Amino acid sequence: MKKLNISGGEPFLQPRYIGEVFKYCKEELAIEACSVVSNSSKVTEKWLDTYGRISRQTNIKQGRAEHGTSATHIGTVFKVAQWVKDRGIKVKINSVVTINNWEEDMNDQIEELAPFRWKVFQVLLLDSENTGAATGSLRDARHLTITRQQFQAFLDRHASQACLVPEDNESMKDSYLNLDEEMRFLNCQDGRKQPGRSLLKVGVQTSLLDSGFDEKAFLNRGGIFDWKREAPESLEW
């Protein structure tokens, strides 16, 4: 394994825990890159100084604000992005395109943030995840879906951004290895997140058989890229 990414929810609700996970991955397992998906609202400079020197990459990603947050959340994203850049950590932005924002123009903001990678996702529906109570989902995102044409219109509007990496629903399908809190790979082949056998019980190789992972799809969506950090000369790592 070369790269680990932690997402949520908001992982920074447990900042010390994820920090120690990254420390273990870097110092004991010698993993090349550790990253975290965050809306940036709870990231602190102290955490970055404590654990940012261990992690080679941190993702500061916009788009999952807490309930009740105001527009000042966007300002926080810019502030945290600068913090991580100052520490030689690469900034990656995630944007989920929905019916609410597919007509927006984000060129100015992306140019100012200057991420090394901007992942743009077409909102994806998964049963038991976000398709309403009838499928056992806590959330219902069916009213947020967009057509492939609407998604393409958003991409065309931002085509000048060299950092843009688009992922429509088909590109995302089966191209991720997702582990839940019980260390079970989540199989999405049938349109829902179906947990397999825990790798803690059956081992990694057997557990992978339950994942539904498509390596070709992973490679086609650009899953391998230069994720290593370039540390500033003024810091020792």
Side-chain angles (χ1 to χ4, degrees), residues 76-143:
T76 302
V77 172
F78 280 84
K79 179 174 64 177
V80 174
Q82 190 58 54
W83 287 350
V84 298
K85 287 180 181 179
D86 289 345
R87 290 160 176 80
I89 302 170
K90 289 185 175 180
V91 175
K92 186 170 78 168
I93 301 292
N94 273 16
S95 296
V96 180
V97 182
T98 73
I99 197 65
N100 293 328
N101 65 0
W102 74 273
E103 295 180 287
E104 290 186 7
D105 186 332
M106 302 181 184
N107 282 293
D108 290 346
Q109 290 83 0
I110 293 300
E111 288 173 6
E112 185 174 352
L113 284 165
F116 88 104
R117 195 169 167 88
W118 181 30
K119 293 288 286 294
V120 176
F121 302 96
Q122 179 184 1
V123 61
L124 177 67
L125 296 181
L126 288 173
D127 287 343
S128 77
E129 178 74 12
N130 61 358
T131 53
T135 63
S137 301
L138 294 176
R139 294 171 292 278
D140 191 343
R142 288 176 292 178
H143 64 290

Side-chain angles (χ1 to χ4, degrees), residues 190-210:
D190 64 352
R192 61 186 293 118
K193 288 184 177 179
Q194 181 62 40
R197 293 165 288 183
S198 172
L199 61 83
L200 298 177
K201 296 180 179 179
V202 300
V204 174
Q205 294 302 321
T206 300
S207 183
L208 274 170
L209 299 176
D210 302 335

